[in-house]
């Protein structure tokens, strides 16, 4: 089966946009929950023995990162940083809290997928040759 390369690329772009909007919405909601001191987040930071200012700082980071996922120039770096942050949250969930880290793992995988799609090339594309790499015979 031969696929049209242009339509395949457009499908990947649409998938990436939908994924970016979904993950950004989750991070914006998570950040708002941290900022507005939902009892769940206050209890988690109390259990960890961390200051509540760290909760607010994490909320600001989630809000900024989620917002940066929505912009074309910043989504790649934001996805990388938020993915690392969620990997750390998953580790804390397992080791210190004893809770299943399902949300943290899902968000981390979403960030990895966004960064993968945003790496600048499609899996079916061959690398483009530049003028300096061409071999003259």
């Amino acid at each position: 089966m031969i696929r049209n390369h242009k339509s395949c690329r457009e499908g990947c772009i649409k998938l990436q946009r939908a994924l970016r909007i979904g993950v950004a919405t989750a991070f914006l909601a998570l950040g708002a929950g941290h900022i507005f001191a939902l009892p769940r987040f206050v209890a988690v930071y109390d259990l960890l023995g961390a200051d509540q200012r760290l909760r607010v700082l994490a909320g600001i980071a989630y809000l900024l990162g989620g917002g940066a996922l929505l912009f074309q120039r910043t989504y790649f770096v934001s996805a990388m940083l938020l993915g690392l942050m969620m990997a750390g949250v998953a580790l804390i969930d397992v080791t210190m809290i004893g809770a299943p880290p399902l949300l943290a793992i899902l968000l981390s995988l979403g960030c990895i997928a966004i960064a993968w799609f945003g790496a600048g090339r499609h899996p079916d594309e061959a690398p483009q040759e530049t003028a300096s790499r061409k071999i003259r015979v």
Side-chain angles (χ1 to χ4, degrees):
M1 179 177 175
I2 299 174
R3 294 185 296 181
N4 184 354
H5 181 68
K6 185 176 180 180
S7 66
C8 182
R9 178 74 177 152
E10 289 172 0
C12 283
I13 290 171
K14 288 179 183 178
L15 176 65
Q16 184 207 28
R17 284 183 188 153
L19 188 61
R20 279 175 38 200
I21 290 170
V23 172
T25 303
F27 275 111
L28 291 172
L30 189 63
H34 277 76
I35 295 288
F36 293 122
L38 292 181
R40 174 184 176 185
F41 297 117
V42 172
V44 166
Y45 282 87
D46 282 340
L47 180 67
L48 292 174
D51 191 22
Q52 293 300 315
R53 287 178 282 190
L54 182 62
R55 174 186 50 81
V56 174
L57 184 64
I60 292 170
Y62 292 141
L63 286 174
L64 290 175
L69 283 175
L70 298 174
F71 295 102
Q72 187 69 26
R73 299 193 111 176
T74 58
Y75 76 88
F76 182 77
V77 173
S78 176
M80 297 296 288
L81 293 175
L82 287 173
L84 288 172
M85 195 169 172
M86 283 295 108
V89 168
L91 185 66
I92 289 172
D93 281 349
V94 170
T95 59
M96 299 179 84
I97 298 174
L102 182 63
L103 179 63
I105 289 174
L106 287 176
L107 286 175
S108 184
L109 289 175
C111 289
I112 290 170
I114 289 169
W116 181 270
F117 281 126
R121 62 172 189 244
H122 188 270
D124 293 336
E125 289 180 7
Q128 296 181 0
E129 292 186 29
T130 61
S132 63
R133 288 180 36 190
K134 290 183 181 178
I135 300 173
R136 298 182 187 232
V137 183

